[in-house]
Amino acid sequence: MVMDRIELQKLRDLPIEGGAERLGLQVKMHKALCPFHDDHHASLSFSVRRNTFRCFVCGESGGTIDLVMKVLGKDFLDACRWLGAEDLLLSSYWGKTDSMSNNSSHRGEAGRGLPFDASRYEKFFEHPWLSEAARKFLFEERRLDERVVRWCRLTSWQDKKGVNWLQIPYYNQEGKLVGIQNRNLSLGSGLKVQAPRFRFPQGSQCSIYNLPVLKLLQPGEDLYITEGCSDCWAMLSAGHKAIAIPSATLLKRQDVELLSTLNAKLSTKFHMFPDRDEPGERLFLQLKEVLPNLEHHQLPLGCKDYSEYYVTVKG
Ligand SMILES: [Zn+2]
């Protein structure tokens, strides 16, 4: 495993209490039974601020990597590998919100705690309607297949300020609406209105995209994993079955489990064209840790992501 200082710092910064829980310790009020001595009084305490642990009886102490090394008896590099794989799960669960606040395109969950009211939105997707801006974006710029756009039930609307939005529904495997992502189509159009790039209605669960496709998967069939909806539409338009994940740090434990059981039940073969940049390759490596049969495909030079490649090939 190639690891640079940034990567190492990222592992060090993984929330200590989340790590402890993944190691099997039960954390309550920043305390747990110490795994390093015969403890009956939760002598191990955690400092969330310093991201460290310390036992007041036996004196063991350290950071997240130390905790993994000591509990699992691993050496430094092996502990880092273990954490690298767990990183997928830990960051989403344990209060690391910084990556979410400054990059709303990678938001997986909006309005935490408030349930998503599907009944309020379902009707929008029963009779999808595509505005001129949406048609231009989907069919001219992205060259997508109309059947894919229908399958995904993409629809559009214009708000009172004149901003055009593409409305992207997220369904679970049973086809139940669980979240919506609104994508601003007016950015760069010269419209002088302040609006974010993405918007999510309260309580939207926008984790894995295009889950209904899993019902169509045959045993041994290929499934492409993309990052974000755009690449997923391009992949579907190219004739592949595909899902999208928001980003590695937002994958939840149940998402990872869902994908691993697919492999176990259907011998699904996973494929990925990582974005041609460092985060793209890192995401691939992280997914590979939990989906060992994930196959790497290289995008040609000059194409930063799959949808760009798709448009080039379409000509
Ligand atoms: Zn102890």
Side-chain angles (χ1 to χ4, degrees), residues 34-39 43-44 55-60:
C34 175
F36 309 114
H37 77 271
D38 184 19
D39 192 10
S43 318
L44 196 72
C55 173
F56 292 103
V57 177
C58 70
E60 285 285 5

Side-chain angles (χ1 to χ4, degrees), residues 218-286:
Q218 302 291 321
E221 214 180 349
D222 296 325
L223 181 67
Y224 286 77
I225 302 180
T226 63
E227 196 178 357
C229 307
S230 295
D231 279 1
C232 189
W233 302 326
M235 197 59 85
L236 292 164
S237 296
H240 301 294
K241 289 189 177 147
I243 54 170
I245 56 173
S247 79
T249 42
L250 284 168
L251 259 196
K252 292 191 236 156
R253 186 182 313 183
Q254 72 233 43
D255 298 334
V256 173
E257 276 165 9
L258 179 77
L259 296 178
S260 332
T261 50
L262 267 184
N263 184 34
K265 276 199 303 208
L266 291 174
S267 321
T268 302
K269 294 192 195 99
F270 298 103
H271 299 266
M272 190 176 187
F273 281 84
D275 289 358
R276 265 196 97 105
D277 54 18
E278 202 266 327
E281 288 302 327
R282 189 163 59 205
L283 172 60
F284 171 80
L285 290 175
Q286 288 177 322

Side-chain angles (χ1 to χ4, degrees), residues 16-18 20-21 25-33 41-49 52-54 56 94:
I16 186 95
E17 294 187 342
E21 289 249 349
L25 308 185
Q26 277 193 8
V27 183
K28 260 187 206 148
M29 312 284 287
H30 310 300
K31 284 181 180 303
L33 286 175
H41 300 286
S43 318
L44 196 72
S45 39
F46 299 92
S47 162
V48 174
R49 195 173 53 81
T52 55
F53 71 92
R54 158 164 239 110
F56 292 103
W94 295 85

Side-chain angles (χ1 to χ4, degrees), residues 16-25 27 72 82-83 85-86 89-90 93-94 253 257:
I16 186 95
E17 294 187 342
E21 289 249 349
R22 289 299 290 171
L23 289 164
L25 308 185
V27 183
L72 298 179
W82 186 91
L83 271 173
E86 294 294 309
L89 317 166
L90 289 176
Y93 268 130
W94 295 85
R253 186 182 313 183
E257 276 165 9

